[in-house]
Amino acid sequence: LQLQINEKGTDKYVLIPVATIGCGKTTVALTLASLYGWGHVQNDDVSSKSGKFRTFSNRISQAFSEHDVVIVDRNNHQFRERQQLFEAMDLMADANGYDMHYIGLDFLPNGPAQKEWEVTLSRVMNRGDNHQTIRNMDRPAVEAIMKGFRGRYQPITVAKEPDSNFELVIDVNCARGSKDNVTAVVSALNDAYDMDLETKPEELNAAFSAALEHKAKIPVG
Ligand code: IDP
């Protein structure tokens, strides 16, 4: 399952979710990373409060030194966050001679509608304490955090900056289920680029089951 890279070997593909909590970002990312050996950098794994984005972007650069495709796992639900990522990755690309392909994963193509709210709330409640930061909280506290993200959410708007940097936006509506969304990503990449990604149903099922069973790296202390 090799990506076909251009002759210069400088193409780098970054998958950027735009989502809120519980949309299935980590599940989709883990499944893709396991199937194709892609890089996966989780913002929630960065425990430092100060210099958090610098640590996150250093980890992204490290991932690109090892992988041609990297998934940047954070909500990126605001223009400001997307802008920050594009700027950091443009600098990284200039320094390393990469040709970047920015690909959006649109987990809320209908916005944070009622169905999406119910799906994500029920998933986050079922996830319980299996998360780096959302843990040891009662339901109202979790709902308040989730509502904060919903309230601040700014949909992908490719007609203007910063979202005009997206070369491709893939519909991965969270209400549809994460396994179907993995398949949607694979087909969209195969259609848009010179990739030849295969998915065998049994491999997909195994990778997806493992992703659902994943245990978050809980910070000590
Ligand atoms: P997030 O990274 O967007 O916050 P995840 O942690 O991937 O979301 O998913 C939230 C919870 O929902 C996790 O416990 C995960 O195992 C579960 N989950 C993700 N996708 C599905 C699905 O398609 N069906 C059922 N549960 C799912």
Side-chain angles (χ1 to χ4, degrees):
L1 297 175
Q2 277 292 31
L3 260 189
Q4 295 178 5
I5 323 172
N6 72 5
E7 282 172 19
K8 288 183 291 163
T10 53
D11 280 327
K12 296 284 183 185
Y13 301 83
V14 54
L15 304 183
I16 303 176
V18 175
T20 53
I21 298 170
C23 277
K25 296 175 300 292
T26 300
T27 306
V28 168
L30 286 165
T31 308
L32 290 167
S34 149
L35 284 172
Y36 305 113
W38 294 346
H40 174 200
V41 185
Q42 279 191 261
N43 188 50
D44 284 329
D45 282 341
V46 181
S47 53
S48 60
K49 285 264 188 295
S50 67
K52 185 166 168 127
F53 184 72
R54 192 186 311 165
T55 306
F56 185 51
S57 70
N58 285 344
R59 289 186 190 181
I60 294 170
S61 296
Q62 178 64 33
F64 273 111
S65 71
E66 295 161 10
H67 305 275
D68 292 322
V69 185
V70 171
I71 309 156
V72 170
D73 187 349
R74 115 175 146 157
N75 284 305
N76 306 311
H77 64 309
Q78 294 189 278
F79 297 133
R80 180 182 54 80
E81 290 185 301
R82 270 114 72 186
Q83 178 73 40
Q84 185 189 38
L85 270 182
F86 291 131
E87 280 173 10
M89 286 192 280
D90 280 348
L91 283 175
M92 176 194 75
D94 282 350
N96 293 282
Y98 297 155
D99 295 317
M100 297 303 293
H101 300 272
Y102 295 122
I103 300 157
L105 302 183
D106 190 357
F107 281 87
L108 293 166
N110 306 319
Q114 186 60 25
K115 170 101 202 272
E116 286 75 356
W117 169 247
E118 285 162 13
V119 167
T120 55
L121 181 62
S122 121
R123 284 185 189 164
V124 171
M125 287 302 152
N126 286 334
R127 187 171 68 186
D129 283 347
N130 183 24
H131 189 264
Q132 297 94 328
T133 53
I134 300 177
R135 49 200 307 276
N136 300 327
M137 286 181 201
D138 59 12
R139 186 180 176 111
V142 174
E143 281 199 29
I145 293 176
M146 292 180 69
K147 282 185 178 149
F149 276 85
R150 273 168 69 83
R152 292 189 300 271
Y153 169 80
Q154 292 169 319
I156 297 180
T157 312
V158 290
K160 60 180 181 110
E161 282 275 318
D163 293 339
S164 48
N165 286 284
F166 284 125
E167 189 171 87
L168 174 70
V169 174
I170 305 175
D171 176 337
V172 285
N173 188 345
C174 63
R176 217 167 29 218
S178 299
K179 191 158 87 171
D180 285 351
N181 283 336
V182 169
T183 310
V185 173
V186 171
S187 337
L189 292 177
N190 279 339
D191 287 349
Y193 301 105
D194 195 15
M195 297 191 190
D196 193 13
L197 305 165
E198 294 175 52
T199 29
K200 299 205 174 77
E202 41 314 349
E203 287 175 8
L204 173 62
N205 289 339
F208 183 65
S209 304
L212 285 178
E213 294 300 311
H214 172 75
K215 297 286 170 264
K217 288 179 219 155
I218 308 292
V220 188

